[in-house]
């Protein structure tokens, strides 16, 4: 069964460093998302992406964040200068185009630890 | 932001019995609701969904009920199995078909053998 994959599974970085989290969405999906979950809190929406541009972004997704689909398979989230409060699980999700509503399929997540 | 709320942080059930997980929402624009299951160190896994034009959707042991007037939905698992032990998230979507999901806080379900 096709699945969303994410790398790395765990990333440790120093405050102020740049990190890139990588995702390979399901191959025929066209809509891509990043969510995050700070320990003990809700899963929160960060950004959605379609047709090579951002469709929607949350207040969390400030100028420190960017997303890119550099080729036909990868979808990346970049944090330019990490802060302690960026420590969280980051989930990538994707969904297909189709009639009606479609569920989003999530990857296993990347645990980001900012020291 | 409390647009989707799961008021029970945890639920403990005996194997074979019914598990009922509840979710309330406040945003009238939500028109599609989903339940996800999550194991530790894994991403959320889609379980079942319901559109606002329905009041019930069933898939095997899982049934979701929607009460629009009360802005309430519930997930019933019958019979519960130990493998169902996980965190269950309610999520809601409104507007476009491909819009963001708004999640509840999750309920930890433990099914005892």
């Amino acid at each position: 069964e096709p699945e969303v994959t994410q790398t790395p599974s765990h990333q440790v970085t120093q405050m102020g460093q740049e990190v890139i989290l990588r995702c390979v969405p399901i191959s025929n999906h066209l809509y891509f998302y990043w969510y995050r979950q700070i320990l003990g809190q809700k899963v929160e929406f960060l950004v959605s992406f379609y047709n090579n541009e951002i469709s929607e972004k949350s207040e969390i997704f400030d100028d420190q964040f960017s997303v890119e689909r550099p080729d036909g398979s990868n979808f990346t989230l970049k944090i330019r200068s990490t802060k302690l409060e960026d420590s969280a699980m980051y989930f990538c999700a994707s969904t297909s185009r189709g009639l009606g509503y479609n569920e989003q399929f999530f990857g296993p997540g990347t645990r980001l630890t900012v020291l | 932001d409390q647009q989707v709320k799961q008021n029970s942080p945890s639920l403990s059930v005996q194997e074979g019995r019914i598990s009922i997980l509840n979710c309330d929402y406040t945003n009238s624009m939500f028109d599609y609701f989903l339940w996800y299951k999550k194991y530790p160190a894994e991403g959320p896994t889609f379980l079942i969904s319901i559109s606002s034009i329905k009041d019930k959707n069933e898939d095997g042991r899982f049934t979701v009920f929607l009460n629009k007037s009360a802005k309430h939905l519930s997930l019933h698992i019958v019979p519960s199995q130990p493998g169902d032990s996980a965190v269950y998230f309610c999520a809601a979507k409104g507007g476009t078909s491909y819009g963001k999901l708004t999640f509840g806080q999750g309920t930890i379900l433990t099914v005892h053998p």
Side-chain angles (χ1 to χ4, degrees), chain A residues 31 33 35 37 42-43 45 56 91 95-98 100-104 106-108, chain B residues 1 4 31-32 36 38 42-44 46 89 93 95-101 103 105:
Chain A
Y31 294 83
Y33 310 83
Y35 292 82
Q37 186 182 26
K42 290 185 180 189
V43 176
F45 168 77
E56 186 178 2
F91 295 106
T95 194
S96 61
R97 181 199 299 245
Y101 289 96
N102 301 286
E103 61 270 18
Q104 294 176 17
F106 284 76
Chain B
D1 178 2
V4 179
D31 58 3
Y32 189 62
Y36 283 85
K38 186 181 179 305
E42 293 185 14
F46 171 72
F89 290 99
K93 183 160 45 171
T96 64
S97 300
Y98 311 104
K100 67 181 181 185
L101 296 178
F103 282 85
Q105 303 95 317

Side-chain angles (χ1 to χ4, degrees), chain A residues 81-101:
Chain A
S81 177
T82 50
K83 307 186 194 75
L84 295 175
E85 54 265 35
D86 294 327
S87 294
M89 281 291 290
Y90 287 80
F91 295 106
C92 173
S94 68
T95 194
S96 61
R97 181 199 299 245
L99 295 176
Y101 289 96

Side-chain angles (χ1 to χ4, degrees), chain A residues 2-62:
Chain A
E3 57 182 19
V4 177
T5 60
Q6 290 185 244
T7 54
S9 57
H10 191 189
Q11 174 89 47
V12 181
T13 190
Q14 294 290 324
M15 191 169 56
Q17 294 296 304
E18 175 182 288
V19 294
I20 297 176
L21 309 183
R22 292 183 166 79
C23 168
V24 178
I26 295 173
S27 63
N28 64 341
H29 286 186
L30 297 174
Y31 294 83
F32 314 114
Y33 310 83
W34 284 101
Y35 292 82
R36 79 172 185 190
Q37 186 182 26
I38 294 171
L39 189 63
Q41 297 187 22
K42 290 185 180 189
V43 176
E44 303 172 286
F45 168 77
L46 291 178
V47 65
S48 59
F49 191 85
Y50 170 70
N51 200 26
N52 278 321
E53 60 183 33
I54 290 173
S55 308
E56 186 178 2
K57 59 183 181 179
S58 71
E59 293 173 353
I60 303 165
F61 195 88
D62 62 21

Side-chain angles (χ1 to χ4, degrees), chain A residues 66-77:
Chain A
S66 63
V67 288
E68 195 178 34
R69 187 151 162 84
D71 53 42
S73 58
N74 290 284
F75 179 50
T76 61
L77 173 70

